């Protein structure tokens, strides 16, 4: 610190400021003039040679002497961060054992601060009479018609809405028919019209909506599981609660798994409320994020529909949170601050004293257990809307009805496909594996093509003519020469990915119009929307896809779903493997027969006696959950016990081993806590880093954070080794 920056300040002029960096905690700064900014104020503060943004977190703790404090640079013109959000950040930091600054960083992500959004020019219809002789061309008429629905739009939005060039809009402005005025971008926040009538609800749905409204009336924290079969109208029901909350003038947050943030959901919202909601996900431009963040902070944005990170937006007056598809693993963030958005949504709601609704056809065992313990309420919608029946699910035993050599569609699935296509109906083939083949083997020398940086095979992506590591993205061009023995024409693709299934289907049904949907063929919401449109308008006969096709979509003409390899998710050491397989396959099956025509699902499996398969075929979810629950309870696994994973990683393998062995040796052990490992992680090498895992298992009532903190204090970790803490792990790779 230089002498010129050092000031003597009275103790009253000291405040703590949290900076968006993974530091130990808030830093003290001196307030040089004027009153101390209130907690929550966004300020600029010196950090080393830089000026960084921070948030006033409280009064300073006095650890730094007054005369060594650095002065604050000043406050920003942004609404202060609400107290509830500051408490939330502290809570998440404590729970996930992350530095509070790292959580703050997530909360500021996309804000663009310290910049504030620049004003933009919007056009309105002017009140003045039109100039005499104005030529009203069809394009001009379309522009004017746009204002029947919206008061003002930017140049780009207006020309897009009207389907004309920007010159048409400018021409109308020059003619005095439109007025251009600069406004803060946030003023563009669309206001949903909650007075518009929703659909007429069935008695079940109406009762469910009434229960949710009661939760809102009760004005306090509550968690309600909206437990309804696929197509039962869960979305329609929670949109009623959304309308109620909007009518009260409070903000709403709807969390969806990223993948479900599709055009269909947004269209539905727009049909219900007349405008598109604000969205928040990874696939947004910086400008859009910036604008949305500030619209939320100013309370102008009434509703945000977003992926998990939307939970950290600075809502000043949140009145309701909905977590749709609450069981979805996509709610767990697995790097940086490792958190589960569903669980943290419940915490956020608790801190704010508001209701949270968890919706799913296949609720997680965590949530079901909370319902059974009466911590959460439950509303059940047992029937599909409009008399659509649940699809008939049949198991195909691949041991007795195997597909041909180098084929993956067995005889029964083949004839079902032929029938559906002949009847002019749509069919879907599901395999949750991207690419053409998961393994390439040299027939001459037996070499397996592996990623040099990960303990993983390279997956062949034939469409893009390359082989790819699904863990680190390492790419090698597709060749037919073995990199080990140099022979050509000997590389053999083992096993199927969706691309290979598409190839097999094309050979079987050359006239069917097939559409391959995976994250490799879909790039962003627009291409998802286009795919959905093509399917809905029956430009497609056969959909072949990975889990991107499993969720949320409503395709009325789809009557057959074939699951190519139902066992795929069951192997591996994941304690939730059975539960997840059940959920995913149930979701996929739920795509079939959603309208008048009944649906049928074929599950190809080598383990048709597995409880997951039996439960799917019998439609007996609750029996499956009871079995699963019994097993977890016996083992002390979640939700009956608590887990914390430590992942030790580094490029220096002996050093990684040394640290993990030490951690294992000093691990806390008692009759209520045990530690498994260290063991090489299933992905023992990832991006060139060697990885070892330890797993702490504790009884439910144990404050695992305290136990882990003490454990780590006992070990000195060299800077070349990283120890990642994952509280409530969902991934065991
Ligand atoms: P879920 O979310 O439970 O899968 P949805 O809310 O998506 O179910 O409803 C399934 C389909 O039925 C959607 O197309 C939806 O618009 C329609 N639907 C549900 N309830 C009604 C209703 N009361 N009136 C009209 N259509 C409805
Ligand atoms: Zn790799």
């Amino acid at each position: 610190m230089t002498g010129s920056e050092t000031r003597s300040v009275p103790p009253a002029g000291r405040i703590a400021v949290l900076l968006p960096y993974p530091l130990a905690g808030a830093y003290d700064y001196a307030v040089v003039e004027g009153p101390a900014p209130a907690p929550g104020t966004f300020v600029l503060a010196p950090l080393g040679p830089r000026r960084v943004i921070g948030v006033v977190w409280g009064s300073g703790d006095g650890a730094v002497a007054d005369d060594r404090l650095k002065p604050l640079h000043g406050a920003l013109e942004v609404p202060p961060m609400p107290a509830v959000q500051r408490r939330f950040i502290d809570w998440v930091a404590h729970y996930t054992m992350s530095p509070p600054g790292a959580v703050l960083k997530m909360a500021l992500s996309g804000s663009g601060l310290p910049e504030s959004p620049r004003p933009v020019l919007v056009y309105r219809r002017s009140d003045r009479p039109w100039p005499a002789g104005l030529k009203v061309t069809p394009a001009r008429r379309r522009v004017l018609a746009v204002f029947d629905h919206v008061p003002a739009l930017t140049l780009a939005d207006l020309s897009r809405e009207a389907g004309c060039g920007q010159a048409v809009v400018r021409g109308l402005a020059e003619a005095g028919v439109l007025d251009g005025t600069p406004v803060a971008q946030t003023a563009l926040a669309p206001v949903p019209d909650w007075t518009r009538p929703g659909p007429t609800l069935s008695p079940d749905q109406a009762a469910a909506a009434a229960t949710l409204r009661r939760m809102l009336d009760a004005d306090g924290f509550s968690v309600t599981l909206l437990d309804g079969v696929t197509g039962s109208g869960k979305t329609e029901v929670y949109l009623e609660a959304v309308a109620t909350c909007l009518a009260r003038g409070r903000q709403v947050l709807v969390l969806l798994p990223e993948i479900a943030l599709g055009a269909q959901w947004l269209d539905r919202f727009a049909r219900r409320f007349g405008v598109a909601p604000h969205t928040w996900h990874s696939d947004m431009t910086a400008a859009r994020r910036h604008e949305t963040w500030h619209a939320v902070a100013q309370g102008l944005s009434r509703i945000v529909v977003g992926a998990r990170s939307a939970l950290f937006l600075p809502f000043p007056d949140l009145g309701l949170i909905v977590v749709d598809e609450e069981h979805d693993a996509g709610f767990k963030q697995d790097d940086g601050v490792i958190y589960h958005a569903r669980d943290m949504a419940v915490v956020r709601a608790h801190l704010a004293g508001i209701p949270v609704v968890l919706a799913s056809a296949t609720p997680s065992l965590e949530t079901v257990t909370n319902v059974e313990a009466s911590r959460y309420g439950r509303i059940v919608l047992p029937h599909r809307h409009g008399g659509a029946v649940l699809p008939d699910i049949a198991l195909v035993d691949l041991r007795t009805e195997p597909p041909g050599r180098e084929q993956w569609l067995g005889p029964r699935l083949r004839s079902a496909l032929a029938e559906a296509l002949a009847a002019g109906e749509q069919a879907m083939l599901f395999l949750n594996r991207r690419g053409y083949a998961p393994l390439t083997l040299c027939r001459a020398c037996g070499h397996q093509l592996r990623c040099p940086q990960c303990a993983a095979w390279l997956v062949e992506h034939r469409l893009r003519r390359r082989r790819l590591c699904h863990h680190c993205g390492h790419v090698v061009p597709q060749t037919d020469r073995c990199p080990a023995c140099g022979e050509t024409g000997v590389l053999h693709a083992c096993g199927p990915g969706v691309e290979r299934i598409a190839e097999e289907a094309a050979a079987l049904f050359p006239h069917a119009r097939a559409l391959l949907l995976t994250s490799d063929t879909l790039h962003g919401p627009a291409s998802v929307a286009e795919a959905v449109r093509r399917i809905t308008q029956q430009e497609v006969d056969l959909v072949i896809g990975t889990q991107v096709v499993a969720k949320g979509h409503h395709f009325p003409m789809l009557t057959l779903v074939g699951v190519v390899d139902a066992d795929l998710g069951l192997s591996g050491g994941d304690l939730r493997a059975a539960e997840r397989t059940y959920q995913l396959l149930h979701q996929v099956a739920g795509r079939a027969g959603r309208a008048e025509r009944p649906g049928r699902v074929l599950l190809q499996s080598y383990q048709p006696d597995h409880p997951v398969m039996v439960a799917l075929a019998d439609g007996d979810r609750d029996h499956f959950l009871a079995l699963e629950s019994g097993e977890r309870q016996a083992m002390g696994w979640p939700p009956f016990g608590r887990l914390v994973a430590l992942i030790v990683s580094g490029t220096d393998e002996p050093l990684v081993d040394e640290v993990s062995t030490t951690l294992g040796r000093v691990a806390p052990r008692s009759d209520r806590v045990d530690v498994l490992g260290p063991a090489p992680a299933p992905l023992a090498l990832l991006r060139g880093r060697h990885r070892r895992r330890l797993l702490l298992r504790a009884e439910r009532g144990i404050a695992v954070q305290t136990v882990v903190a003490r454990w780590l204090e006992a070990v000195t970790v060299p800077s070349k080794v990283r120890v990642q803490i994952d509280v409530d792990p969902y991934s065991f790779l």
Side-chain angles (χ1 to χ4, degrees):
M1 191 186 312
T2 62
S4 63
E5 270 185 326
T6 315
R7 315 260 162 110
S8 234
V9 283
R14 168 199 287 272
I15 49 171
V17 175
L18 188 64
L19 306 174
Y21 299 94
L23 308 164
Y27 280 17
D28 281 8
Y29 286 95
V31 181
V32 183
E33 42 185 21
T41 308
F42 284 88
V43 292
L44 283 175
L47 180 70
R50 287 176 301 163
R51 270 175 175 217
V52 299
I53 181 142
V55 177
V56 177
W57 221 246
S59 47
D61 62 9
V64 178
D66 282 355
D67 60 355
R68 304 211 41 204
L69 283 183
K70 291 191 188 183
L72 272 184
H73 289 305
L76 298 178
E77 293 277 315
V78 190
M81 179 177 279
V84 58
Q85 199 191 6
R86 283 179 277 126
R87 279 198 290 149
F88 182 53
I89 288 173
D90 280 334
W91 204 100
V92 172
H94 170 79
Y95 189 84
T96 61
M97 304 188 71
S98 313
V103 184
L104 177 65
K105 181 163 185 265
M106 288 198 301
L108 299 187
S109 157
S111 70
L113 289 171
E115 304 299 322
S116 285
R118 266 188 321 197
V120 287
L121 201 62
V122 297
Y123 291 88
R124 302 167 203 277
R125 198 151 50 182
S126 96
D127 303 330
R128 292 185 300 277
W130 290 3
L134 179 79
K135 274 225 320 264
V136 186
T137 61
R140 285 184 161 183
R141 184 168 303 125
R142 287 201 304 276
V143 172
L144 294 170
V146 169
F147 293 104
D148 293 344
H149 308 292
V150 285
L153 278 178
T154 62
L155 180 59
D157 286 346
L158 186 49
S159 67
R160 197 191 53 235
E161 286 290 320
C164 68
Q166 300 194 346
V168 179
V169 177
R170 286 206 196 88
L172 282 171
E174 276 157 26
V177 179
L178 299 183
D179 286 334
T181 39
V183 298
Q185 302 214 354
T186 49
L188 297 175
V191 179
D193 181 359
W194 59 84
T195 61
R196 289 162 68 115
T200 309
L201 299 181
S202 70
D204 277 354
Q205 292 174 339
T211 307
L212 293 184
R213 256 184 247 115
R214 264 202 310 283
M215 294 299 158
L216 285 161
D217 284 338
D219 238 354
F221 170 66
S222 60
V223 189
T224 309
L225 169 63
L226 185 52
D227 179 357
V229 300
T230 50
S232 57
K234 294 184 293 297
T235 314
E236 301 296 348
V237 166
Y238 74 65
L239 287 180
E240 292 304 304
V242 168
T244 305
C245 189
L246 291 173
R248 306 232 169 111
R250 303 192 72 183
Q251 293 172 298
V252 178
L253 169 63
V254 179
L255 293 179
L256 300 179
E258 184 109 12
I259 216 110
L261 258 177
Q264 270 191 325
W265 199 98
L266 298 178
D267 278 353
R268 243 167 109 175
F269 183 92
R271 259 181 281 135
R272 177 73 176 76
F273 295 112
V275 298
H278 272 135
T279 54
W280 188 262
H281 50 86
S282 57
D283 196 36
M284 290 165 74
T285 63
R288 194 83 198 147
R289 288 171 79 83
H290 197 159
E291 190 182 306
T292 305
W293 193 95
H294 287 271
V296 172
Q298 296 184 21
L300 289 168
S301 176
R302 314 306 311 154
I303 172 153
V304 177
V305 179
R308 59 188 180 224
S309 56
L311 193 56
F312 291 92
L313 286 169
F315 297 95
D317 189 23
L318 194 56
L320 172 69
I321 305 178
V322 177
V323 184
D324 200 351
E325 311 286 6
E326 68 89 27
H327 63 277
D328 196 286
F331 285 124
K332 177 79 192 223
Q333 169 149 312
D334 272 328
D335 52 27
V337 177
I338 300 179
Y339 68 94
H340 198 298
R342 181 236 307 145
D343 297 346
M344 295 304 116
V346 171
V347 171
R348 177 71 174 77
H350 187 248
L351 292 174
I354 58 172
V356 53
V357 177
L358 310 178
S360 175
T362 52
S364 62
L365 191 59
E366 274 74 8
T367 295
V368 169
T369 305
N370 278 320
V371 168
E372 278 162 6
S374 305
R375 284 185 287 266
Y376 296 178
R378 163 157 39 194
I379 302 171
V380 179
L381 293 173
H383 307 296
R384 279 193 160 179
H385 172 73
V389 290
L390 283 168
D392 174 47
I393 302 183
L395 293 169
V396 178
D397 186 345
L398 290 179
R399 295 168 307 185
T400 54
E401 303 176 58
R405 238 181 76 82
E406 299 285 283
Q407 291 178 347
W408 287 272
L409 307 176
R412 199 139 41 114
L413 186 48
R414 288 175 172 225
S415 49
L417 283 168
E419 278 164 30
L421 294 173
E425 297 169 353
Q426 288 173 322
M428 177 187 280
L429 288 172
F430 173 78
L431 177 66
N432 200 16
R433 194 191 271 140
R434 292 160 54 210
Y436 185 84
L439 165 65
T440 308
L441 197 70
C442 173
R443 277 214 189 93
C445 74
H447 178 72
Q448 303 179 342
L449 269 60
R450 290 181 166 275
C451 175
Q453 310 181 73
C454 304
W457 291 330
L458 290 175
V459 178
E460 177 177 352
H461 284 248
R462 196 164 282 191
L463 292 178
R464 290 157 83 186
R465 301 210 44 77
R466 59 201 210 176
R467 294 194 176 90
L468 182 67
C469 172
H470 282 184
H471 298 286
C472 73
H474 179 83
V475 178
V476 296
Q478 181 109 328
T479 62
D480 65 348
R481 176 191 294 274
C482 172
C485 68
E487 284 282 323
T488 52
V490 288
L491 292 183
H492 177 61
C494 301
V498 269
E499 291 179 14
R500 201 165 195 178
I501 300 304
E503 186 182 87
E504 187 176 340
L508 279 175
F509 306 105
H511 301 297
R513 295 163 302 171
L515 180 64
L516 179 62
L517 296 182
T518 85
S519 53
D520 300 301
T521 61
L522 295 170
H523 305 281
S527 63
V528 177
E530 172 59 11
V532 168
R533 186 197 63 76
R534 289 183 57 197
I535 301 170
T536 319
Q537 300 190 353
Q538 293 200 62
E539 293 172 20
V540 171
D541 305 309
L542 180 58
V543 181
I544 300 146
T546 57
Q547 58 171 350
V548 298
V549 302
K551 292 168 196 170
H553 303 299
H554 183 67
F555 301 130
M557 284 304 288
L558 183 75
T559 59
L560 173 68
V561 168
V563 175
V564 177
D565 180 356
D567 313 327
L568 191 58
L570 288 177
S571 53
D574 188 334
L575 73 95
R576 293 184 184 82
E579 183 189 358
R580 278 192 187 162
T581 302
Y582 178 83
Q583 288 162 343
L584 181 61
L585 297 184
H586 185 93
Q587 289 288 332
V588 180
R591 296 313 104 209
R594 290 175 58 101
E596 298 82 45
R597 305 195 187 203
R600 134 178 219 222
V601 181
L602 291 179
L603 302 178
Q604 297 195 133
S605 169
Y606 284 99
Q607 311 173 53
D609 306 325
H610 193 288
V612 168
M613 303 305 152
V614 175
L616 285 163
D618 295 351
D620 196 348
R621 183 193 82 187
D622 294 340
H623 177 65
F624 168 71
L625 282 175
L627 277 182
E628 186 66 20
S629 168
E631 267 177 39
R632 299 245 198 116
Q633 201 152 13
M635 295 294 294
W637 293 133
F640 305 100
R642 309 216 39 202
L643 294 180
V644 181
L646 297 191
I647 301 106
V648 185
S649 69
T651 49
D652 182 342
E653 190 170 11
L655 198 58
V656 170
D657 271 329
E658 193 185 307
V659 172
S660 26
T661 312
T662 312
L663 278 167
R665 204 176 48 240
V666 303
R669 287 191 174 90
S670 71
D671 48 351
R672 304 181 66 195
V673 176
D674 67 345
V675 170
L676 314 175
L683 263 173
L685 185 68
L686 178 63
R687 298 190 177 86
R689 295 173 74 86
H690 299 274
R691 304 167 78 243
R692 305 288 180 267
R693 294 182 65 101
L694 296 109
L695 191 63
L696 177 132
R697 176 170 56 181
E699 278 181 16
R700 233 186 102 91
I702 300 253
V704 286
Q705 288 83 0
T706 316
V707 176
V708 172
R710 268 199 223 117
W711 179 14
L712 291 177
E713 272 165 22
V715 178
T716 321
V717 178
S719 62
K720 282 169 70 185
V721 172
R722 192 166 142 217
V723 179
Q724 225 183 350
I725 308 172
D726 184 352
V727 180
D728 309 333
Y730 275 68
S731 164
F732 296 86
L733 287 181

